[in-house]
Amino acid sequence: MAAAVSGHCVLPTNKLSLSSSSSSFSGNVLVRLPQLSLFSPPSRAIGGKISCQSSSVTSSPPAPAFGKEKPQWNDFLHIDDFDKATIMKMLDRAAEVKALLKSGERVYLPFKGKTMAMIFAKPSMRTRVSFETGFFLLGGHAIYLGPDDIQMGKREETRDVARVLSRYNDVIMARVFAHQDILDLAKYSSVPVINGLTDYNHPCQIMADALTMIEHVGQTCHKLQVVYVGDGNNIVHSWLLLASVVPFHFVCACPKGFEPDQKTVEKARRAGISKIEITNDPKEAVRGADVVYSDVWASMGQKEEAAHRRQVFQGFQVDEQLMKLAGPRAYFMHCLPAERGVEVTDAVIEAPNSIVFAQAENRMHAQNAIMLHALGL
């Protein structure tokens, strides 16, 4: 079974559980690949189950002081700014563009002649390389602006940065500390703004995670159980926000005092779409999990707390014994970078059921789809 591409390229369908087919690229390349369906029974079973969710704070309307007004939906700030159909459409597109790039074809260039400003208040290997490479492979040019290049909010006000960069670039991606910074960028920018991470949430990561689970776990939606073990941080908030849009069973096991934001938990529960559990018992939490997920115990900006957190988080390390409790079919995921020997053992990361590097690769493919959506391409 293969999908035809205009010209001389033929792309095989990938081994996902798929439901309908069809999808096209503008320009001189047409790719027909089966449409992904995270939340309906697969026509060809591939093992497991899946589903996803979104966020809580919405950006205020853009202030088009000197630039043209933009559609608010063009920004990608929180997963729950979108409905399930839109999220699934972006994930479908991610799989299509990934297959095209894997085929070796380099004729689909939707970003040709476009530039992206990348603001990094927080440095990151994965975020920079995945965005910059993805934008380049699809024909665009990305500009890196590191912590000392702008000093947003210190050397220059965020609203001024947004309006200046909007006049030079077609899209802005920002990885910042304060969530208000991304909201202000979106408010004053006249071009789409993509949230590359804030202290509150990390929507691009969760989109990549959803794509990875489609590829490896399969799909049976509401039966999927994702168990996060560790600090109730921005990754957990993004999982909760995803769970308020698409159905699955999400469990967060964290020490007392390190639970996720209560308003975000309540929002996910009020949506009534997914089963949400917050617990302090990791051993009970992982039983029957399809995915066991971990992250560092002390994020960037919390390193002075690292020693204290290592004491408090004793018993929350994902090791071989915890994975055995989850069962032989459970996959391990981690958004990276990992502190091996701290929140996860080396043996778990290197195990056959670890999909952390496929997960890292999918950052680029998920973000390509997000950028295409943001730019209306």
Side-chain angles (χ1 to χ4, degrees), residues 37-40 48-52 209-215 217-226 239 247-248 290:
S37 177
L38 259 174
F39 312 111
S40 58
K49 332 165 185 181
I50 187 156
S51 269
C52 312
D209 296 343
L211 179 62
T212 307
M213 288 191 295
I214 292 170
E215 294 173 338
V217 182
Q219 40 214 336
T220 314
C221 102
H222 57 280
K223 294 182 179 179
L224 178 76
Q225 183 174 340
V226 177
W239 275 115
F248 65 105
D290 297 288

Side-chain angles (χ1 to χ4, degrees), residues 171-373:
V171 61
I172 297 169
M173 186 283 295
R175 178 182 169 93
V176 296
F177 287 91
H179 193 67
Q180 189 60 46
D181 285 345
I182 204 77
L183 300 182
D184 289 344
L185 279 171
K187 179 178 180 179
Y188 290 99
S189 169
S190 58
V191 299
V193 171
I194 295 172
N195 179 356
L197 174 142
T198 71
D199 285 346
Y200 173 69
N201 71 342
H202 197 354
C204 290
Q205 179 66 58
I206 301 306
M207 290 291 283
D209 296 343
L211 179 62
T212 307
M213 288 191 295
I214 292 170
E215 294 173 338
H216 291 83
V217 182
Q219 40 214 336
T220 314
C221 102
H222 57 280
K223 294 182 179 179
L224 178 76
Q225 183 174 340
V226 177
V227 179
Y228 176 97
V229 179
D231 182 31
N233 60 14
N234 52 4
I235 292 292
V236 177
H237 295 156
S238 292
W239 275 115
L240 288 166
L241 295 174
L242 180 61
S244 68
V245 179
V246 297
F248 65 105
H249 181 185
F250 179 70
V251 183
C252 174
C254 53
K256 289 180 180 180
F258 292 86
E259 291 86 357
D261 174 63
Q262 187 57 36
K263 289 183 179 179
T264 306
V265 174
E266 290 171 0
K267 178 175 186 176
R269 285 175 170 160
R270 277 198 313 270
I273 291 173
S274 301
K275 182 178 180 180
I276 306 296
E277 291 184 80
I278 310 298
T279 180
N280 306 121
D281 187 344
K283 291 182 180 179
E284 279 303 312
V286 300
R287 294 184 189 276
D290 297 288
V291 170
V292 176
Y293 197 114
S294 186
D295 190 9
V296 292
W297 292 342
S299 299
M300 195 178 299
Q302 299 173 327
K303 295 306 180 184
E304 69 282 355
E305 303 175 28
H308 170 66
R309 285 176 175 247
R310 288 194 186 196
Q311 292 180 341
V312 175
F313 280 74
Q314 290 302 310
F316 286 83
Q317 183 186 72
V318 179
D319 56 17
E320 298 91 316
Q321 292 304 311
L322 201 65
M323 290 303 296
K324 283 180 182 177
L325 290 176
R329 296 180 63 185
Y331 286 93
F332 175 72
M333 298 181 74
H334 193 300
C335 52
L336 300 179
E339 290 193 64
R340 297 180 183 229
V342 181
E343 77 275 1
V344 60
T345 62
D346 190 76
V348 168
I349 285 189
E350 298 295 343
N353 61 340
S354 169
I355 51 177
V356 298
F357 298 109
Q359 188 184 352
E361 178 189 346
N362 279 337
R363 281 288 301 277
M364 182 177 78
H365 304 300
Q367 290 161 187
N368 281 345
I370 290 166
M371 292 187 288
L372 287 165
H373 179 82

Side-chain angles (χ1 to χ4, degrees), residues 144-159:
Y144 174 79
L145 298 166
D148 296 326
D149 293 319
I150 296 180
Q151 295 183 18
M152 195 168 64
K154 295 179 181 177
R155 198 164 121 200
E156 191 165 3
E157 289 194 24
T158 303
R159 58 184 172 177

